[in-house]
């Protein structure tokens, strides 16, 4: 993925955004990722968190494997939280939350040629992230989620609509408890994409699950 990405290309890339770490799957993550790519995901985030997650060299080795799978299929590779690792690997981007390093300091560290995604829950946080140089916003949790223990309270798709009405035009991807059934409502609310952990990672067929999301998002 070209690092210096324009809004339209990024909006396309955000449409079916698979997020996973090794603790979200019960078989090798590179295999699950390959299947999800064959089903039509458009972007991948490596989010290695929670008890039993990989650390240090094991985490770096897994990140390199996953990055290679993404490169082999021209899919962007985003790292969650770990700015140093993203820079060390020259990943396509980094995603940070409100409790991580600030967006403006992160932008200074990564420069202009890496994608910066920022989690936001309120319109104020969204406006600050835009001012700090974010390329896209992760808005949520839209619905109840089991994938993030310290999630904010559920905000519903109307939060995305409110952000659009308040003039936030940056690419937005919805996150939090997203299923195929809920995706049309999220699209109508103004999201450019949906980000999915368990609905793909835990699916009997990640490829089939990814394709269901792709079919809805492509119209
Ligand atoms: N990882 C994420 N990715 C997205 C994305 F926009 F990419 F869909 N949005 C939101 C989050 C949540 O990020 P954060 O608030 O730092 O919590 P955690 O580090 O536990 O994921
Ligand atoms: Mg984070």
């Amino acid at each position: 993925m070209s690092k210096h990405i324009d809004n339209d290309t990024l909006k396309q890339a955000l449409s079916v955004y698979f997020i996973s770490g090794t603790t979200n799957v019960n078989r090798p993550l590179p295999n699950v990722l390959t299947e999800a790519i064959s089903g039509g995901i458009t972007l991948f985030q490596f989010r290695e968190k929670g008890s039993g997650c990989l650390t240090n060299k094991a985490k770096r080795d897994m990140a390199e494997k996953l990055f290679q799978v993404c490169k082999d299929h021209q899919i962007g590779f985003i790292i969650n939280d770990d700015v140093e690792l993203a820079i060390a690997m020259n990943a396509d981007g980094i995603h940070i939350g409100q409790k991580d390093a600030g967006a403006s300091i992160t932008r200074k560290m990564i420069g202009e040629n890496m994608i910066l995604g920022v989690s936001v829950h309120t319109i104020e946080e969204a406006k600050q992230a835009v001012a700090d140089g974010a390329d896209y916003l992760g808005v949520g949790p839209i619905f109840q989620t089991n994938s993030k223990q310290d999630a904010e309270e559920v905000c519903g798709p109307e939060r995305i609509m409110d952000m659009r009405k308040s003039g936030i035009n940056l690419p937005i991807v919805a996150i939090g408890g997203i299923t195929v059934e809920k995706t049309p409502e999220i699209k109508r609310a103004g999201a450019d994409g949906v980000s999915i952990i368990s609905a793909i990672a835990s699916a009997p067929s990640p490829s089939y699950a990814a394709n269901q999301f792709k079919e809805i998002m492509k119209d």
Side-chain angles (χ1 to χ4, degrees):
M1 167 182 271
S2 95
K3 298 283 179 5
H4 211 73
I5 194 165
D6 62 272
N7 255 3
D8 287 345
T9 309
L10 183 53
K11 284 181 178 180
Q12 271 302 315
L14 289 170
S15 53
V16 183
Y17 189 174
F18 177 40
I19 299 178
S20 189
T22 58
T23 63
N24 300 110
V25 293
N26 49 26
R27 54 199 175 90
L29 183 52
N31 298 0
V32 177
L33 175 57
T34 303
E35 292 173 33
I37 290 171
S38 69
I41 65 163
T42 50
L43 188 62
F44 175 68
Q45 179 187 128
F46 181 41
R47 177 178 181 267
E48 190 63 7
K49 293 197 95 158
S51 60
C53 70
L54 302 177
T55 55
N56 305 323
K57 186 174 180 320
K59 176 180 172 185
R60 169 76 189 254
D61 291 348
M62 177 55 73
E64 292 288 2
K65 276 198 195 100
L66 296 166
F67 193 11
Q68 191 55 53
V69 170
C70 288
K71 281 181 200 166
D72 293 347
H73 297 86
Q74 293 83 48
I75 294 284
F77 178 75
I78 308 291
I79 291 186
N80 182 55
D81 286 358
D82 195 337
V83 182
E84 287 73 24
L85 179 58
I87 292 169
M89 297 178 60
N90 195 24
D92 293 305
I94 175 79
H95 187 92
I96 56 170
Q98 295 294 318
K99 300 183 191 110
D100 298 310
S104 57
I105 182 80
T106 303
R107 173 55 79 192
K108 287 190 183 66
M109 288 171 71
I110 64 175
E112 291 307 315
N113 286 342
M114 199 179 277
I115 296 166
L116 173 61
V118 181
S119 307
V120 295
H121 186 66
T122 65
I123 289 175
E124 293 70 33
E125 287 175 352
K127 289 186 172 171
Q128 185 61 53
V130 172
D132 290 346
D135 291 304
Y136 73 83
L137 304 175
V139 179
I142 303 296
F143 302 108
Q144 193 58 46
T145 176
N146 299 322
S147 301
K148 180 173 166 56
Q149 307 320 317
D150 58 341
E152 300 265 6
E153 85 273 5
V154 169
C155 59
E158 50 280 5
R159 183 65 50 84
I160 298 170
M161 222 178 290
D162 294 344
M163 288 188 180
R164 291 302 190 205
K165 284 180 192 151
S166 72
I168 303 283
N169 299 316
L170 213 60
I172 286 179
V173 59
I175 188 163
I178 292 172
T179 62
V180 169
E181 296 71 25
K182 294 170 180 171
T183 297
E185 181 188 5
I186 292 167
K187 251 185 102 176
R188 285 194 298 273
D192 298 292
V194 285
S195 60
I196 306 122
I197 300 181
S198 42
I200 293 177
S202 312
S205 164
S207 170
Y208 179 75
N211 194 256
Q212 286 188 295
F213 284 106
K214 183 182 176 208
E215 285 307 305
I216 297 169
M217 289 306 294
K218 73 177 180 14
D219 305 333

